[in-house]
Amino acid sequence: MGTVTLGVSIAVPEPYGSLLQERRAAFGDTAAPGIPTHVTLLPPTEVDAAALPAIEAHLAAVAAASRPFPMRLSGTGTFRPLSPVVFVQVVEGASACAWLQKRVRDASGPLVRELQFPYHPHVTVAHGIAEEAMDRAYAELADYAAHWSCTSFALYEQGEDLVWRKLHEYAFGGGGEIPGVPPQTTPANRPTPSLRP
């Protein structure tokens, strides 16, 4: 069956998700259209495709043991010079994200992996672009704020076209499949939401 590249993340809901995806693209990050706005729980991980049923069962169990929690984003941060990333900070919900990502990568499950850097929940808004553009992203989103109730996470697969597509969304508390987050592309004729909620 071969291998697949998977990721697990918390989607940033609308209207925030599309706005941040559009801003990321505007800063010159060409990967932005293929990456829905998110907080990572499991970074891109290559697995045997035959392991998908076990992975899905594991994620369903993690979600069933979880409860909704408030998420709040505020201001910007950066991992430079260690990593060429500018992000919007998770200022509420970070400890819950850390708990979830540990359960997703639990040694008893099918998604065990070491992380390149210590886990730090965030929403990437610029990655691997020119320093001037990174500085602009850092400055222009410095006053950004958003908040919502996080009620699920999702499993994504990266296609050969490098676009990430949702395979399944897992509701907290074992609630089963829930309505998905809308595609994060804004038609030209739709008003662009304000940076402030």
Side-chain angles (χ1 to χ4, degrees):
M1 289 183 74
T3 62
V4 291
T5 300
L6 303 178
V8 179
S9 63
I10 294 169
V12 175
E14 300 301 343
Y16 314 122
S18 289
L19 172 65
L20 289 177
Q21 189 178 34
E22 290 161 11
R23 294 304 304 270
R24 182 171 177 172
F27 295 135
D29 191 331
T30 57
I35 306 174
T37 308
H38 67 282
V39 176
T40 298
L41 298 177
L42 177 78
T45 302
E46 191 173 298
V47 301
D48 190 323
L52 267 173
I55 289 168
E56 291 177 348
H58 168 65
L59 294 176
V62 172
S66 306
R67 296 292 176 265
F69 58 90
M71 286 280 283
R72 187 161 62 91
L73 309 179
S74 181
T76 49
T78 183
F79 294 133
R80 295 182 291 176
L82 287 177
S83 182
V85 172
V86 170
F87 56 85
V88 171
Q89 299 186 74
V90 175
V91 296
E92 186 176 6
S95 60
C97 291
W99 184 90
L100 281 171
Q101 66 89 27
K102 282 184 183 177
R103 299 312 178 276
V104 167
R105 296 186 301 108
D106 189 83
S108 66
L111 290 172
V112 180
R113 67 160 288 172
E114 293 296 320
L115 298 180
Q116 185 179 1
F117 301 105
Y119 182 72
H120 181 88
H122 62 281
V123 177
T124 298
V125 290
H127 180 216
I129 58 177
E131 286 295 319
E132 297 80 7
M134 302 273 269
D135 292 342
R136 190 160 63 90
Y138 188 90
E140 290 184 13
L141 292 173
D143 293 329
Y144 182 80
H147 59 88
W148 70 95
S149 178
C150 180
T151 59
S152 66
F153 61 76
L155 173 66
Y156 291 82
E157 179 180 352
Q158 187 179 41
E160 291 184 8
D161 57 0
L162 304 182
V163 173
W164 288 92
R165 295 176 177 87
K166 185 172 68 174
L167 297 180
H168 194 87
E169 191 157 3
Y170 300 90
F172 296 158
E177 183 75 19
I178 64 173
V181 174
Q184 294 178 2
T185 52
T186 300
N189 60 356
R190 193 178 85 193
T192 301
S194 166
L195 277 179
R196 301 294 292 195

